[in-house]
Amino acid sequence: MEVPSVSSAAESQVSLSTDTRLPTIISESALTTAPAGEALDSVSTRTEEEKHLGFHIKYTLPPDDKSQRGPRFLRHVVFSVYRRLFTIVWLANFSAFIYLILTSEDINTRLFNIATGASANLFVATAVRQDYIINLLFETCVRIPLSTPLRVRWTIAKIYEFGGLHSGAATCAVLWLIYLAAYLTIIAAAGQYKNTRVIGMAYIIVLLFLTIVIFAMPFVRRRVHNAFERTHRFAGWSTAAVFWALIIVLASDRGHQSGQSIPQVLSKTPSFYLILVNSIHAILPWTPKYRLRKLRCVPEALSSRCVRLHFKADIDEFYTVRISDSPLSEWHSFACFQDRTPKDGMTNSVIVAKAGDWTSKTILRPRDYYWTRGQPTRGVLYTSLMFRKIVVVTTGSGIGPCLNLLGLTTKKRPECRVLWCTPFPEETYGKEIMNTVLDCDKNAVIWDTKKQGRPDMLGMTWQLYKESGAEAVYVISNPANTKMIVYGMESRGVPAFGPVFDS
């Protein structure tokens, strides 16, 4: 069983180039604007500077209210939708644990109940990352009418933070397994349990899952992403195999006591059905029928830092695909958009910008084929269809996912204002992409950071939001920019959305 990533966001929905000249704001104090007096002076200076650069800030960003900084931070950061979902899962598990303590009478019953608690959480953690579940969640949410109150649409559009369910369930599964190993050790020391195979398998599973969780920690994952992906895959498969053996041995012990066969015991065991479904979920994406496919690719070099890969995939708008040149090694997710002018029979493209070893290799030596796995999944920008007017804010290669939205006709998408900050936009990404942006928003703000310097992205976003009368803001950027802009807008009462690492 390949255990999906213990998460943030969307696994990363897109591959983004990080422009170090853009603001990198990570703390609560940095996520807010300067005090009122300083803010006005700063805005005044920036206004004059940006007026000469072709962008005049008419609506200044409201100054920060220090007295509300703590409550805002709690609401929009500490108690984000992701963390709320995570907490709900933990509370549900705590209730189940109390019930187990109060109701389990004999040793075998308790062992089966602990195994059920662990396998139930593994089922949730795995199921919520399945392609068809993700698509079902997005499709259900996007179908709410535009007449629904904005506050309700704001909340529902946070569906992309479902990763809180995944990480909450995965960490709870580890705790159940640790409890299983500890309980087995205690009763074995007391002479009440003698099956050393079960004890050994319990410890092996715990070690495998701890390895998965450690490599999934954001600060570890960022540094050794390939190791994270391989431990998730191979340790996950190993865990599934050992878990199967554990369930069968426990069923054998119980069968000896009750005079039942192993199949009879398994047929009454919830863990058997849960791990069976998990195993099916693990196998399906690797079967040809379920779309493990080798696709012909036509690379188009856009610049020394960016390549566009064209595929014949026949994929609709707002989908993300996983591609790889070595299926057992590593996979990378990219937003896939439809080609406006198909090349050599190709239908879709992804933009790969330099952001690491794999992307650098792909830009220098693109292949004429790549593998895709599983079904394409909906991305965060699909929820933009829940609003009448929006502002799209992006940096660098984040423009790739946005093309799904910007390339649609006005009948299919909300009204859009666009802010795109990147060095040498046309030279890097080509005239076709520039035209797609300008066709969507003829007054799009395309900020060349090489020529115009570092922009006040939060102030410019506020300006576009106010002058357009938008209902929401969507941010596709690096984690620091996304956090800064989403927090800056939401703390001022504006619906804002943006995947950060693993939403």
Side-chain angles (χ1 to χ4, degrees):
M1 172 178 58
E2 180 185 350
V3 181
S5 65
V6 179
S7 75
S8 253
E11 257 352 285
S12 184
Q13 294 279 343
V14 295
S15 174
L16 301 178
S17 60
T18 302
D19 186 347
T20 56
R21 295 177 299 281
L22 298 178
T24 53
I25 302 178
I26 55 176
S27 66
E28 154 57 7
S29 59
L31 284 171
T32 58
T33 58
E38 293 179 26
L40 292 175
D41 292 342
S42 175
V43 168
S44 175
T45 302
R46 286 196 303 266
T47 299
E48 290 304 314
E49 178 182 344
E50 287 163 356
K51 185 189 299 182
H52 294 299
L53 293 171
F55 188 88
H56 174 59
I57 292 183
K58 177 182 177 182
Y59 300 93
T60 57
L61 191 70
D64 176 33
D65 182 357
K66 281 188 175 181
S67 66
Q68 295 299 312
R69 184 175 293 179
R72 285 201 314 269
F73 188 72
L74 286 173
R75 178 180 177 185
H76 298 293
V77 179
V78 177
F79 295 113
S80 64
V81 172
Y82 178 94
R83 289 189 173 96
R84 281 179 242 167
L85 292 174
F86 185 96
T87 303
I88 289 171
V89 173
W90 272 63
L91 291 175
N93 274 272
F94 181 74
S95 300
F97 177 75
I98 297 300
Y99 177 79
L100 169 67
I101 296 297
L102 296 176
T103 58
S104 297
E105 297 176 358
D106 61 275
I107 289 175
N108 276 325
T109 299
R110 176 163 292 192
L111 289 175
F112 266 87
N113 287 342
I114 296 172
T116 299
S119 56
N121 278 281
L122 290 176
F123 170 76
V124 173
T126 304
V128 78
R129 286 295 193 189
Q130 297 307 303
D131 302 337
Y132 70 94
I133 296 292
I134 294 172
N135 290 338
L136 177 63
L137 290 173
F138 274 92
E139 295 292 350
T140 302
C141 293
V142 166
R143 273 163 173 68
I144 68 168
L146 291 174
S147 57
T148 306
L150 181 59
R151 178 74 246 186
V152 176
R153 285 181 283 145
W154 182 353
T155 301
I156 294 177
K158 291 286 186 179
I159 184 62
Y160 65 91
E161 297 200 45
F162 63 83
L165 294 174
H166 167 72
S167 56
T171 50
C172 284
V174 175
L175 293 179
W176 280 104
L177 291 167
I178 291 174
Y179 176 49
L180 174 64
Y183 181 67
L184 285 168
T185 302
I186 292 170
I187 60 178
Q192 298 175 289
Y193 195 79
K194 298 180 180 179
N195 194 330
T196 55
R197 291 180 300 168
V198 172
I199 299 172
M201 285 187 285
Y203 274 98
I204 290 172
I205 293 173
V206 169
L207 289 174
L208 287 170
F209 261 103
L210 285 176
T211 301
I212 292 172
V213 171
I214 289 170
F215 276 91
M217 294 292 182
F219 63 91
V220 177
R221 178 177 172 179
R222 278 192 294 265
R223 288 167 174 76
V224 287
H225 183 272
N226 290 345
F228 148 76
E229 191 166 337
R230 287 167 186 145
T231 54
H232 249 68
R233 180 169 299 116
F234 296 114
W237 289 345
S238 301
T239 300
V242 180
F243 211 114
W244 269 113
L246 176 66
I247 295 298
I248 291 172
V249 173
L250 286 174
S252 175
D253 288 348
R254 194 166 195 172
H256 284 307
Q257 289 184 348
S258 61
Q260 296 176 301
S261 66
I262 292 178
Q264 287 176 317
V265 175
L266 289 177
S267 67
K268 302 173 185 177
T269 305
S271 294
F272 168 73
Y273 297 101
L274 293 169
I275 195 170
L276 177 62
V277 175
N278 278 355
S279 299
I280 293 172
H281 280 159
I283 294 170
L284 275 180
W286 297 91
T287 59
K289 188 174 182 180
Y290 194 74
R291 302 187 78 171
L292 175 65
R293 299 189 298 165
K294 187 177 181 180
L295 294 181
R296 186 170 73 88
C297 171
V298 176
E300 177 188 357
L302 299 178
S303 69
S304 61
R305 296 183 55 85
C306 189
V307 66
R308 181 173 176 177
L309 304 179
H310 298 266
F311 300 96
K312 183 174 176 52
D314 296 312
I315 296 174
D316 290 335
E317 302 92 354
F318 300 109
Y319 278 106
T320 296
V321 295
R322 291 185 290 264
I323 66 174
S324 174
D325 54 13
S326 178
L328 289 177
S329 179
E330 56 183 314
W331 289 85
H332 299 268
S333 294
F334 294 92
C336 183
F337 55 94
Q338 294 182 328
D339 287 347
R340 299 181 79 187
T341 54
K343 300 177 184 296
D344 298 327
M346 303 294 102
T347 60
N348 298 88
S349 299
V350 300
I351 291 180
V352 180
K354 187 177 293 186
D357 293 342
W358 190 88
T359 54
S360 298
K361 175 185 69 175
T362 302
I363 293 168
L364 287 174
R365 297 181 299 277
R367 296 195 174 196
D368 56 4
Y369 72 89
Y370 286 92
W371 292 91
T372 64
R373 177 169 64 92
Q375 296 178 342
T377 54
R378 293 296 191 184
V380 62
L381 280 171
Y382 189 46
T383 62
S384 66
L385 302 183
M386 298 166 62
F387 303 95
R388 297 180 181 88
K389 296 180 181 180
I390 65 169
V391 175
V392 177
V393 181
T394 186
T395 59
S397 61
I399 194 62
C402 299
L403 296 176
N404 268 317
L405 171 68
L406 306 183
L408 293 177
T409 63
T410 54
K411 292 182 179 180
K412 291 185 176 182
R413 60 165 172 79
E415 292 183 35
C416 298
R417 290 303 317 274
V418 180
L419 169 60
W420 179 25
C421 299
T422 186
F424 305 126
E426 186 167 339
E427 295 90 330
T428 303
Y429 298 97
K431 184 167 289 188
E432 181 182 340
I433 290 176
M434 288 284 288
N435 289 339
T436 300
V437 174
L438 294 172
D439 287 345
C440 174
D441 177 10
K442 64 180 181 180
N443 296 315
V445 180
I446 303 177
W447 191 276
D448 189 332
T449 55
K450 278 290 186 181
K451 298 177 180 177
Q452 297 168 279
R454 183 174 65 182
D456 171 23
M457 291 196 66
L458 183 56
M460 295 167 76
T461 301
W462 180 262
Q463 163 75 16
L464 293 180
Y465 165 75
K466 292 294 289 184
E467 72 179 23
S468 67
E471 290 185 313
V473 172
Y474 279 81
V475 186
I476 306 295
S477 184
N478 57 62
N481 273 322
T482 301
K483 288 180 182 179
M484 180 266 291
I485 297 171
V486 170
Y487 176 84
M489 299 303 290
E490 290 201 315
S491 63
R492 291 169 173 83
V494 179
F497 311 93
V500 178
F501 196 50
D502 278 321
S503 296

